């Protein structure tokens, strides 16, 4: 990469806060520090977002990436949909608004796969809107993995103090134990180790592994998943990654504060909220969601569509700016290696 990393940003669900935070982020001087952002989305929706937020930003539509100029004060926008203003009602997604947000994602994936951009950064989408548009996928992670033909992928939530990676993602709690296997846990630890090195530049990763049960099972008194599933997975992962320090299954109530104090580069978590509750307590306004294991770089905001405050000019663009900077950082690390 001879130039600054080029990022394709999706506007997210038009009925949520995505367009507003994109307008605010593009207006921020931080959006042009060491990167070149291009918005992929809907022109009329973005024009309304600029008006709603009151940011002095000129929208410049382009028909290809090569036409973008990346001038501060200007948003280069590659249109992929043409929603009429009255089609976008805050908090009320339709099949058409859902399709518009999906089209922005798929176009950005294709730009990243073809090398026309160096990374993609996604705005928040609503899972119901995906369903209304007829998508078979629950969220970005599954859609992007399918389009890039990735078979081994994972959700990492990343911030300066805490990084968590999830063995299981969007499934009911009662399914979690059924879906945990030593092979799945080993693969996830292994993907975390490789990604910390390749994407984050950590040469000898220190990985904390959370247990599942209170007190990590308390020697079998409160459950045996630690000894039966997690400890064997850790042993295999240690043999595969002698360069890493991988913990035993640790009590989940203390592993996160130790990680936030710098003892671990990432914590492997057994289920969604085990990782996301401590993560959002620490990093709600600057945290990033990034997908590991893809052939492209993808980061995202850590929050959702916030329908309750959509189009009210309240939403913070902090997480989106962090996601942009993390995408640029990963793109630079990939080139360096
Ligand atoms: N990256 C993505 O696309 C994500 C999408 N989602 C999806 O978003 C939808 C709504 O999810 P919820 O659980 O309601 O979470 P949410 O993050 O949309 O909202 C939770 C609370 O945080 C507030 N909030 C969220 N983002 C904010 C921001 N930037 N500034 C200020 N306040 C903010 C909201 O107003 C609300 O009170 C769901 O469909 C969920 O699956 C959730 C997380 C990430
Ligand atoms: N809890 C994170 C979340 O729901 C985001 O999912 P995705 O759209 O990034 O797959």
């Amino acid at each position: 990469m001879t130039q600054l990393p080029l990022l394709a940003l999706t506007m997210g669900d038009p009925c949520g806060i995505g367009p507003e935070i994109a307008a605010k982020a593009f207006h921020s001087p931080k959006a042009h520090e060491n990167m070149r952002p291009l918005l992929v989305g809907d022109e009329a929706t973005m024009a309304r977002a600029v008006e709603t937020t009151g940011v002095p930003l000129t929208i410049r539509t382009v028909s290809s990436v090569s036409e973008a100029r990346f001038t501060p004060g200007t948003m280069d926008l590659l249109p992929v949909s043409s929603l009429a203003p009255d089609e976008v009602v805050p908090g009320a997604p339709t099949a058409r608004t859902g399709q518009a947000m999906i089209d922005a994602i798929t176009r950005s994936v294709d730009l990243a796969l073809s090398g026309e951009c160096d990374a993609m950064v996604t705005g928040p989408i609503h899972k119901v809107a995906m369903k209304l548009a007829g998508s078979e996928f629950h969220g970005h992670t599954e859609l992007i993995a399918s389009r890039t033909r990735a078979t081994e992928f994972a959700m990492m939530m990343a911030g300066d103090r805490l990084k968590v990676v999830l063995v299981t993602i969007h499934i009911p709690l009662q399914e979690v134990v059924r879906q945990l296997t030593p092979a799945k846990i080993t693969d996830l630890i292994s993907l975390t180790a490789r990604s910390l090195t390749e994407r984050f530049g950590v040469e000898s990763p220190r990985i904390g592994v959370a247990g599942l049960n209170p007190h990590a099972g308390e020697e079998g008194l409160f459950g045996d998943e630690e000894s039966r599933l997690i400890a064997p997975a850790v042993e295999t992962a240690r043999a595969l990654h002698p360069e890493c320090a991988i913990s035993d299954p640790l009590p989940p109530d203390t592993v996160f504060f130790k990680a936030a104090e710098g003892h671990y580069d990432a914590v492997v978590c057994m289920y969604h909220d085990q990782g996301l509750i401590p993560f959002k307590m620490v990093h709600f306004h600057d945290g990033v969601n990034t997908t590991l294991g893809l052939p492209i770089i993808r980061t995202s905001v850590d929050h959702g569509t916030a329908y309750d405050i959509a189009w009210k000019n309240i939403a913070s663009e902090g997480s989106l700016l962090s996601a942009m900077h993390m995408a640029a950082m990963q793109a630079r690390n990939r080139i360096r290696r």
Side-chain angles (χ1 to χ4, degrees):
M1 194 191 312
T2 52
Q3 287 184 297
L4 298 176
L6 198 159
L7 313 180
L9 268 78
T10 64
M11 74 176 173
D13 182 343
C15 305
I17 60 173
E20 287 165 84
I21 61 172
K24 288 183 182 175
F26 265 78
H27 169 60
S28 165
K30 289 183 187 162
H32 296 274
E33 283 170 4
N34 300 319
M35 55 194 168
R36 297 176 295 157
L38 165 73
L39 195 107
V40 182
D42 188 84
E43 187 183 356
T45 305
M46 285 315 306
R48 187 170 150 208
V50 168
E51 198 182 304
T52 301
T53 54
V55 291
L57 196 64
T58 305
I59 294 178
R60 183 172 170 273
T61 56
V62 297
S63 57
S64 69
V65 175
S66 60
E67 289 176 12
R69 294 289 166 263
F70 315 106
T71 313
T74 300
M75 170 188 277
D76 289 304
L77 188 152
L78 185 66
V80 289
S81 58
S82 2
L83 294 169
D86 63 355
E87 280 187 280
V88 178
V89 179
T94 63
R96 269 181 58 80
T97 60
Q99 192 57 53
M101 82 193 185
I102 291 172
D103 289 344
I105 300 166
T106 51
R107 185 68 188 272
S108 301
V109 172
D110 294 348
L111 293 176
L113 281 173
S114 67
E116 288 173 88
C117 71
D118 300 300
M120 66 181 288
V121 180
T122 55
I125 61 170
H126 203 285
K127 290 171 180 51
V128 169
M130 287 200 89
K131 205 172 161 99
L132 284 172
S135 173
E136 63 184 293
F137 302 108
H138 280 164
H140 290 100
T141 306
E142 298 87 349
L143 189 166
I144 298 171
S146 167
R147 200 161 179 93
T148 60
R149 299 186 202 291
T151 49
E152 202 192 333
F153 57 91
M155 185 183 291
M156 170 190 269
M157 306 297 288
D160 287 348
R161 294 186 65 201
L162 188 59
K163 291 182 181 56
V164 299
V165 190
L166 313 178
V167 180
T168 61
I169 309 181
H170 293 131
I171 56 169
L173 203 45
Q174 62 176 354
E175 279 287 321
V176 168
V177 176
R178 271 194 285 276
Q179 291 207 14
L180 290 177
T181 62
K184 198 167 177 174
I185 300 166
T186 299
D187 288 349
L188 201 282
I189 298 172
S190 197
L191 179 57
T192 303
R194 293 197 307 275
S195 304
L196 283 169
T197 303
E198 290 164 14
R199 297 285 169 95
F200 292 88
V202 183
E203 291 304 331
S204 305
R206 298 159 305 154
I207 299 175
V209 180
L212 177 73
N213 297 295
H215 310 183
E218 189 91 38
E219 297 184 31
L221 283 177
F222 307 148
D224 67 358
E225 285 78 11
E226 287 76 10
S227 58
R228 197 165 50 81
L229 306 172
I230 308 174
V234 165
E235 283 311 311
T236 313
R238 283 176 179 152
L240 289 170
H241 293 279
E243 79 284 8
C244 293
I246 304 170
S247 80
D248 289 331
L250 295 170
D253 61 345
T254 46
V255 63
F256 298 102
F257 105 81
K258 287 192 175 167
E261 289 196 340
H263 293 272
Y264 302 110
D265 298 304
V267 181
V268 166
C269 305
M270 297 302 130
Y271 60 95
H272 184 277
D273 286 357
Q274 182 179 58
L276 264 64
I277 291 171
F279 180 82
K280 290 195 177 180
M281 288 292 292
V282 177
H283 282 299
F284 187 79
H285 284 296
D286 64 3
V288 178
N289 171 354
T290 184
T291 314
L292 310 182
L294 299 174
I296 62 171
I297 293 167
R298 179 257 170 163
T299 66
S300 185
V301 291
D302 68 349
H303 55 75
T305 46
Y307 280 166
D308 54 332
I309 56 168
W311 293 97
K312 293 182 179 164
N313 195 18
I314 297 172
S316 151
E317 71 279 27
S319 174
L320 182 56
L321 283 166
S322 299
M324 293 165 70
H325 279 272
M326 190 176 290
M329 179 273 289
Q330 289 191 33
R332 283 191 292 272
N333 280 342
R334 189 154 79 164
I335 294 299
R336 226 171 264 141
R337 297 189 68 81

